[in-house]
Every structure is written in C-alpha cells, then in structure tokens.
Amino acid sequence: MSDDFTPDQKRYLEGFVSGMQSTRTARGLAPLGSGPGSAASVPAGPDREHLEAQARTVAGGGKLAEQEKWKAAEHPFDAYARFKAQAESGTYPKPEDNFRWRYQGLFYVAPAQNSYMCRLRIPNGILTHWQFAGVADLAEHLGGGYAHVTTRANLQVREIEAQNAPAFIEGLSDLGLTAKGSGADNIRNVTGSATAGIDPRELLDTRPHARAWHHHILNDRSLYGLPRKFNVAFDGAGSIATLEDTNDIGFQAIEVVEGASFEGEPVRPGVWYRLALGGITGHRDLARDTGVVVAPSDAVAVADAVIRVFTANGNRSDRNKARLKYVLDDWGFDRFLAAVEEKLGRRLVRVGAAFVAPRPAYDRLAHIGVHAQAQAGLNWIGVALPVGKLTVAQMRVIAAIARHSGDGDIRLTVWQNLLISGVPDAGVDDVLANLEAIGLSAEASLLRAGLIACTGATGCKFAAAHTKEDALAIAAHCEPQIVLDQPVNIHLTGCHNSCAQHYIGDIGLIGARVPVGEEGDTVEGYDVYVGGGYGVDGGIARAFREKIRAEEAPAVVRSILDAWQMHRATPDESFVAFARRHDMEALTVLVARTEAAA
C-alpha cells in the first residue's frame, strides 16, 4: 500500500476496496488483487492509481461521482464480452454502460438519435487514402452513410445501430484505426499541426510526437479512467493553428535563442516545445504558459507525468470541477510543476520570455485553397466542407484524389475540414475539377471559411439548438448582404460542453432555450458572445446578448458584422480588436443603431 496514506486512510482504503470487491463478485468478475494482504484490501495492477485516488476521496469524507463508482465496479475494458452480447440482442445501454462503452469510442445518443455515434482516434489528424475510404465503407454499411470532421481533427460516424456497433469498431481495427478511449474519462484524440512536415513556415514536424503519444496511451491501461476527459495538442508553429491553447496540455513549438540559461547551466539554442497547461474553453480558460520548455524527444515523458499527477489529485466527486484547470487553480502552477518534477525525478527547464523568438504568424485562411508546400513543386489543397459534413460518396472520391493526385494522405484540421497534400503543380486543376464534380470546393467565402458548428440537436441530446443548420442559415443570410475583407470566425455550439469552442470565436453562439408566451414554453435559440480569440489574440469572448431565437441569429450576426465594418478605427482593424476596444454597453449601442438602420 502506498506510503502516502495515513493509518486512518489505509483503513478507509481497505473498506473501500472490500466494497468494490463485493460489487465485482456480484457481477461474476475477478477480484482486484491477489495474495496475502492484498486480495481484498489493496488495489493492484494498472488500475491501482485510480482506485487509490478514489479511496483517498472517500477517506477524506468525499462522495464519489456515479461515474467513478461505475469505473470501480467494472472497468470498461473488462466488459467487452458483455458489450458484444448486449449488441447482439439489439439492446442499447443503460446510463452506466453508456458511460462504459464510450471507452470503446461509442456514444449512445438517444433521444436525439436512437443509435450510437462512434468517434475515432486519428493522431495528428492524418490518415491514408485507403483508411479514409475504409471508414466510408463502414459508414455506408454500418452507419448513417456520412461522417463529420470534428474540432479535434477527427472523424465521427453516426446512426450506428446496436447490433452493428461491434462490427464497426472491429472494422476500424482492420483498417489500422481505433476508437479506443475517445470518449468518457480518457485522453482524447491527440491533435497536431495539420501541415506538419510540409509547411515552409513550421518550426517543427509534430507527427512523430503526436504518434508517439498516441501509441503511449493505447498501450498503457493506467492512462485510462482519469478524473475527467483530457486533451493534448502539439503545435509546430505552422500556417494552420492547432488551437493548442484550448487543451489541458499544449505543446507549442518555439525557438530558444542564444544566451538562455537555467540554474547556472546554458540552455541549448534551437527548437523546443513550450509547455502550456489548463486550457478548457467551456470553463472560460485558455492554457497558460508555464515558463517550462521541453525537448521534443521528452514530450511524451512530460505529458505522462502531468497525467499521473492529475490522476492522483483530480476531483473525483464533482464532475464540474474535475478537469486539470481546477487542480491548477487550487494548487497554483509552482506546486503542480513541483509534483510533475517529482514524478519525473528531475527538474523541468525554464526559459524566460526574453530568450524565446517570436513565433511565426498563423495564416487564418491556410486551411482553405491551394498552398505551396516546403517541397518544391508540391501543394496542399484545403477542401471546404459545409460545417464538417461528408457523404460516403464524397469520401471515396477524396480518397481516390489523394491516391492518384496527391501523396496518399488526407489531413483533417481542427477547423472541420481537410487537406489533400502532395499535389504536384500540374495536378492542381484536375483536383479542383474533381472536387467540384462532387459538390465540394477549395474555395470559401471569408465567412464560411471560419464557420464552425458542433453536431447540435440533430444528433446530441444536450444541444439546445440545431447548430449546423443554423450556421448555414447565418452564412446564407449574410453573404449576399455583406462583403468581408478579413477572416472572421463564427462558432456555434449547442450546450455548455462547448464542442465548437464558442468562447474563442470572433462571434460565438451557444444554444439556449428561449422563453415564449406566458405558459413557460421555450423555443430554440442562442446566447451571443463577441471578441474571443486564440494564439496571439487569445482571450475569452464576452457576453453580448442573451436568448435570441434561432431564426433571429442570422440578422443579429449580420448587424454585429455591419457595426464592425462601419465603425472600425482603421480599415485593417480586426474584428477581435474592434470588439475589445469597446466596452459592452458601447458595443451594444453601435449594433442597435445598425439594426435600426437596416
């Protein structure tokens, strides 16, 4: 038993584990440990850290969240045979199993859709043409015939019936893909720079580090079952933002210049990762720079240590305060980093901002259109997708384009679209023509290029609005009436989970039920926020207007954009600069005047 426990806590632990043993025995499951002094009293094996953390919660007078009890009673990875038997009978899960099956990447999404959604794991968002075509086959035969590109550079397939669920996830394995741990209290899909290895601007190719972290997770069961979900991103300072500052851990490629030192020793000049921690935009926080720099080859070890400190100390009682941010808020960064160093058995290197070169600027339109690669004569082509949706027919054609006209890779981005890389100069026109033939394009208006929407009420029970449909309505209303001369990001998210990250949008909308009449009835609508940003413009959007009806959203967005264009300090003032320059009362007046004049 861990020496970290007091005698009283050890007694609590023995009682706690004994109770878990009884629950497991009732289910016909093996005990947690074996041997004298351990079988019925002390957790062992890869789940030990989690069970000890649960026991500390109980010993301290806390009450475990229901999900923690479910994990302790039956680890989801021990329940696969039961999952398959349940699926064969065509039965959908009750809440505790709906939670467990998310460890397999399956989400039962009733009542929005009486079926499963499967979320994949695609490290760095890159997959091969044959994997992409294979997912299309699975979506056609076992799902709803379409897929969505997500804000974690990932794919989701919906409308998977219960009896088809095992075949779907086993089919992913046949393709060399997986959905393992893509839901519930686990480390989610690892993101990296979409143009890694092909970008003339980048400082670092993130692919080997994202892939190493991906396989590190997959091969260590102790990294599953955290206090809550956990996001990790690697940004190589390329053209397309990875939004690493929205993650629990953000590795940001930087260049350390000559003259830096740490504890009297020189720090090697060159490219490092800067460590940022605690991003969770749904809770109105971006990851903060720790001052720590990490050798790229050391990133996996540092991320592992951060995870283990979080595992031991994250909140297992209150799901609303179970993310890393709240450990950091409670402890402070110095104490947390000291605990990480203790796990690592060595000091983390710190470098002052004066010895870090400015990072290359993002190109907010680099995810759309034709762009020259670092490799002479080759290009990546960013394909615009209507709020991330692809039919299986479109997927197959894109796979064929990547195979015959590109380097064979398809690169998903956090902007809900994809890139076809390695296209020779002479092949660009053919690619564009083939995309047009399937109703897609490498062109998008400045508004549509930055239009992001979560699944919404069509497929998510938590959503208070049909976000994807409303996003397209906003674009259709605004485009004929306003001509933008700068990129603008408009993010629509359906609920407090903020999958579409509305708090970092220039304009962000979050679904809300809007009261109508005197009988307590409500209709779909939104709360509107303005002035969010990421990277050098990082900041959380401010509340602008509450509870507008969904059908009012297009006109409200247009009025906000009109006010910006009419009242900019200079012709090149960005929307975020304009929004932050005004207090909310003044901004409200400007938009109201614009609405009155419309």
Side-chain angles (χ1 to χ4, degrees):
M1 187 176 295
S2 173
D3 291 336
D4 293 337
F5 290 100
T6 67
D8 284 344
Q9 287 175 328
K10 289 179 181 180
R11 285 192 290 272
Y12 270 109
L13 177 58
E14 290 170 357
F16 172 78
V17 175
S18 178
M20 290 298 101
Q21 300 287 24
S22 298
T23 303
R24 292 175 65 84
T25 300
R27 288 178 170 270
L29 301 172
L32 292 168
S34 60
S38 64
S41 60
V42 181
D47 306 328
R48 177 185 59 79
E49 294 171 79
H50 304 281
L51 293 169
E52 288 185 348
Q54 291 171 341
R56 273 193 295 270
T57 297
V58 175
K63 182 179 179 181
L64 291 178
E66 287 300 308
Q67 292 84 348
E68 293 295 323
K69 297 175 185 177
W70 297 338
K71 287 185 284 188
E74 183 182 23
H75 193 289
F77 291 158
D78 295 334
Y80 192 74
R82 194 165 62 77
F83 156 68
K84 290 195 71 171
Q86 188 182 98
E88 287 170 5
S89 70
T91 304
Y92 287 105
K94 294 180 179 179
E96 59 267 36
D97 280 342
N98 189 14
F99 176 80
R100 291 188 180 102
W101 303 163
R102 295 180 184 199
Y103 278 58
Q104 304 293 346
L106 292 167
F107 297 67
Y108 178 45
V109 295
Q113 293 171 326
N114 191 37
S115 57
Y116 284 111
M117 176 271 285
C118 184
R119 180 183 295 151
L120 280 62
R121 296 190 77 93
I122 303 171
N124 214 111
I126 301 174
L127 67 172
T128 66
H129 65 87
W130 52 268
Q131 289 173 322
F132 198 68
V135 174
D137 290 343
L138 291 173
E140 180 176 56
H141 298 299
L142 302 172
Y146 60 93
H148 287 137
V149 179
T150 78
T151 54
R152 290 204 66 75
N154 201 357
L155 291 174
Q156 289 183 172
V157 176
R158 310 188 75 86
E159 299 183 51
I160 302 167
E161 295 183 357
Q163 60 269 30
N164 292 333
F168 190 94
I169 59 175
E170 290 171 5
L172 291 177
S173 181
D174 292 341
L175 294 170
L177 297 170
T178 186
K180 184 178 179 181
S182 63
D185 297 345
N186 298 308
I187 306 166
R188 303 301 180 84
N189 189 50
V190 54
T191 55
S193 294
T195 52
I198 62 173
D199 195 325
R201 297 190 187 195
E202 74 179 4
L203 294 177
L204 189 65
D205 182 350
T206 61
R207 290 175 297 178
H209 313 124
R211 187 172 184 274
W213 179 237
H214 168 79
H215 286 287
H216 184 77
I217 298 164
L218 290 180
N219 289 287
D220 191 337
R221 172 163 156 160
S222 70
L223 293 174
Y224 294 82
L226 310 181
R228 209 67 159 87
K229 65 182 282 189
F230 203 97
N231 292 324
V232 180
F234 296 83
D235 186 275
S239 300
I240 301 174
T242 309
L243 301 181
E244 74 285 352
D245 48 1
T246 67
N247 287 252
D248 297 277
I249 300 177
F251 288 107
Q252 305 168 323
I254 56 164
E255 183 181 1
V256 174
V257 300
E258 293 278 357
S261 63
F262 175 65
E263 296 185 340
E265 296 294 328
V267 175
R268 172 186 55 81
V271 176
W272 296 67
Y273 279 125
R274 179 166 54 197
L275 180 66
L277 295 175
I280 173 173
T281 59
H283 294 221
R284 307 188 187 202
D285 217 346
L286 294 171
R288 287 161 278 173
D289 179 12
T290 62
V292 169
V293 296
V294 178
S297 60
D298 204 26
V300 167
V302 171
D304 181 277
V306 170
I307 292 284
R308 295 189 190 282
V309 174
F310 173 59
T311 294
N313 299 285
N315 192 316
R316 303 260 180 178
S317 297
D318 185 349
R319 302 282 287 178
N320 293 322
K321 294 186 176 181
R323 294 289 295 272
L324 176 64
K325 161 190 163 57
Y326 292 99
V327 179
L328 294 169
D329 287 350
D330 185 32
W331 284 18
F333 275 65
D334 289 343
R335 178 182 171 188
F336 186 86
L337 291 173
V340 172
E341 290 173 327
E342 185 177 355
K343 284 287 181 185
L344 285 169
R346 54 188 162 84
R347 292 277 280 159
L348 292 165
V349 176
R350 275 82 164 171
V351 169
F355 295 97
V356 176
R359 300 180 85 217
Y362 297 124
D363 178 350
R364 291 180 64 173
L365 295 175
H367 64 296
I368 300 293
V370 181
H371 300 269
Q373 294 184 190
Q375 297 79 16
L378 298 180
N379 306 272
W380 76 77
I381 298 179
V383 182
L385 305 178
V387 287
K389 187 172 182 179
L390 281 164
T391 67
V392 294
Q394 290 171 327
M395 293 175 72
R396 291 192 180 104
V397 172
I398 289 169
I401 292 171
R403 178 184 180 187
H404 296 293
S405 300
D407 58 17
D409 284 345
I410 292 160
R411 296 164 176 255
L412 310 177
T413 85
V414 298
W415 302 103
Q416 293 187 316
N417 81 308
L418 61 85
L419 317 178
I420 300 171
S421 52
V423 179
D425 292 339
V428 168
D429 289 343
D430 282 345
V431 171
L432 298 179
N434 284 321
L435 290 172
E436 184 178 358
I438 56 171
L440 296 176
S441 175
E443 297 180 357
S445 67
L446 290 174
L447 190 150
R448 287 184 189 264
L451 192 62
I452 305 296
C454 71
T455 297
T458 298
C460 177
K461 67 180 180 180
F462 300 113
H466 284 74
T467 51
K468 287 190 182 295
E469 296 85 345
D470 293 336
L472 295 175
I474 287 170
H477 175 83
C478 292
E479 282 180 327
Q481 303 185 61
I482 186 169
V483 178
L484 299 178
D485 54 10
Q486 292 184 42
V488 171
N489 287 352
I490 302 173
H491 295 232
L492 288 82
T493 198
C495 73
H496 65 279
N497 289 318
S498 191
C499 293
Q501 301 172 328
H502 64 289
Y503 282 122
I504 64 165
D506 289 298
I507 301 173
L509 297 92
I510 180 171
R513 300 302 302 183
V514 180
V516 292
E518 298 179 357
E519 302 300 321
D521 294 333
T522 62
V523 297
E524 292 186 7
Y526 293 94
D527 294 336
V528 183
Y529 292 78
V530 297
Y534 58 90
V536 295
D537 292 323
I540 299 299
R542 296 176 293 158
F544 170 74
R545 187 176 296 178
E546 292 185 342
K547 299 194 183 308
I548 65 168
R549 297 188 187 194
E551 61 267 26
E552 297 172 331
V556 170
V557 170
R558 180 202 164 187
S559 295
I560 295 171
L561 294 174
D562 279 339
W564 164 50
Q565 293 209 321
M566 293 170 60
H567 299 286
R568 287 183 285 190
T570 62
D572 61 352
E573 184 179 39
S574 68
F575 182 90
V576 68
F578 165 78
R580 292 176 182 175
R581 183 167 55 83
H582 294 85
D583 62 42
M584 195 51 61
E585 182 178 356
L587 191 60
T588 300
V589 169
L590 288 178
V591 174
R593 289 175 182 169
T594 303
E595 289 173 321

